[in-house]
Amino acid sequence: MLRIAVQAKGRLYEETMELLSEADIKISAMKRSLLVQSPNFPVEILFLRDDDIPQSVATGVADLGIVGENEYMEKREDAVVVKRLGFSKCRLSLAMPKDIEYTGIGWFEGKKIATSYPVILSNYMKEHGVNAEIHEITGSVEIAPGIGLADAIFDIVSSGSTLVSNRLKEVEVIMKSEALLIANKNLNAEKKEILDELLFRIDAVKTAEDKKYVLMNAPKSALDSIIALLPGMKSPTVMPLAQEDWCSVHTVLDEKCFWEIIGKLKALGAQGILVLPIEKMIV
């Protein structure tokens, strides 16, 4: 059985639980439950603080962990990245009071910067030859300039609304972050086999994201032109209809190009276009 360390609450927790659910791994996350076993897949979920996950995986307390890249880079624990999961995206940025002119990274020379990520920030400042005073704090980092604790902050930014509400502006993006699946370096053969099955399920879920299954009736006279428009997985499925001059065409479209292609299909005579969501896709 694999033990997976997962953030106990917050956005990363919610998106992790959604991913596991879509992979048909049932988890009953009861309140105050630290360790929960899945009834239908050989995994158990260990709920931890996000900053404890890298160490728990590196030391073997957990076999796998789903953690933000920001925490993985900050803790520098000896665990390996198995897969980038593509959700819980954010960035780590330097921000300062909005009414002060920013003149470049040299502005931070001699300044006090409040952050929960002193390792990442210290390395960045060394790379740029800037000698700043770094104050490590937890909690609401964004209020530090307003109460006179620091001149600037280095913190997670998603939408930027928190910065705006604290009269701060983002001036340097230091790194971008997303959820990572990390693993202990010493998994045995049995656990690696379970991990392979887990990755297979995750890949099926992630591949289906932003994809639509499209069915349409198409005139045979325009079939070659219609097929040329369709960027399907390999090639579209074409089946005859009762009406001799028409056929049914089935394909998969990426949502980002969906409306552009649908308009062109209609112009070529396609009718009865049906669009369906895709839950899983095996390639």
Side-chain angles (χ1 to χ4, degrees):
M1 179 173 290
L2 277 178
R3 178 177 291 175
I4 308 176
V6 168
Q7 184 173 317
K9 60 182 179 179
R11 177 184 163 202
L12 182 55
Y13 162 81
E14 293 170 356
E15 293 183 310
T16 297
M17 291 298 102
E18 183 179 354
L19 175 63
L20 294 176
S21 176
E22 289 175 347
D24 196 29
I25 299 172
K26 294 180 170 58
I27 302 294
S28 177
M30 303 297 291
K31 289 184 178 180
R32 296 190 179 90
S33 295
L34 178 65
L35 190 63
V36 180
Q37 184 174 332
S38 170
N40 70 332
F41 194 79
V43 299
E44 56 184 6
I45 305 300
L46 176 64
F47 294 104
L48 297 174
R49 285 167 46 99
D50 57 348
D51 53 356
D52 289 333
I53 292 175
Q55 183 182 46
S56 73
V57 174
T59 58
V61 173
D63 303 304
L64 304 177
I66 296 179
V67 66
E69 188 173 1
N70 52 310
E71 291 294 346
Y72 177 75
M73 295 299 295
E74 176 67 20
K75 300 304 180 183
R76 305 288 172 128
E77 296 286 351
D78 193 21
V80 296
V81 176
V82 176
K83 187 174 183 64
R84 306 182 74 89
L85 297 174
F87 57 80
S88 289
K89 291 185 177 181
C90 62
R91 56 194 182 273
L92 283 175
S93 298
L94 285 161
M96 58 183 284
K98 63 181 297 184
D99 55 353
I100 298 177
E101 182 184 0
Y102 181 60
T103 56
I105 192 65
W107 182 89
F108 293 97
E109 180 69 31
K111 298 293 195 302
K112 296 178 182 178
I113 307 174
T115 185
S116 299
Y117 301 95
V119 173
I120 296 173
L121 179 57
S122 177
N123 290 338
Y124 181 83
M125 289 300 179
K126 287 178 182 177
E127 289 174 5
H128 289 78
V130 176
N131 184 23
E133 186 178 338
I134 298 173
H135 285 248
E136 182 179 1
I137 62 175
T138 58
S140 301
V141 175
E142 65 276 359
I143 69 171
I147 62 176
L149 182 62
D151 300 300
I153 68 168
F154 176 61
D155 201 17
I156 290 175
V157 178
S158 294
S159 66
S161 59
T162 302
L163 295 181
V164 172
S165 63
N166 285 276
R167 299 186 58 80
L168 300 173
K169 61 183 178 182
E170 185 178 9
V171 293
E172 296 282 348
V173 177
I174 307 307
M175 68 167 285
K176 294 184 178 180
S177 175
E178 65 181 275
L180 303 176
L181 178 64
I182 62 174
N184 182 273
K185 286 186 172 182
N186 300 309
L187 296 182
N188 60 35
E190 179 184 355
K191 290 183 176 182
K192 286 180 179 178
E193 186 175 345
I194 300 171
L195 173 57
D196 287 342
E197 174 62 23
L198 175 63
L199 289 171
F200 172 76
R201 294 191 182 197
I202 290 175
D203 285 342
V205 171
K206 302 303 287 183
T207 302
E209 286 183 352
D210 301 323
K211 299 291 193 304
K212 300 295 182 185
Y213 190 72
V214 181
L215 305 83
M216 72 196 79
N217 295 331
K220 288 184 177 179
S221 59
L223 187 58
D224 289 343
S225 298
I226 287 173
I227 290 175
L229 277 176
L230 301 175
M233 299 299 292
K234 288 189 177 178
S235 64
T237 300
V238 179
M239 296 183 291
L241 293 177
Q243 191 171 343
E244 186 176 345
D245 294 334
W246 286 78
C247 56
S248 177
V249 180
H250 300 205
T251 192
V252 174
L253 292 181
D254 198 311
E255 194 164 25
K256 64 185 178 183
C257 62
F258 171 77
W259 287 111
E260 178 185 355
I261 291 177
I262 290 298
K264 293 178 180 178
L265 292 172
K266 288 183 65 179
L268 288 170
Q271 298 178 4
I273 301 172
L274 181 62
V275 182
L276 302 173
I278 300 174
E279 290 187 1
K280 317 287 188 299
M281 182 179 291
I282 314 300
V283 296

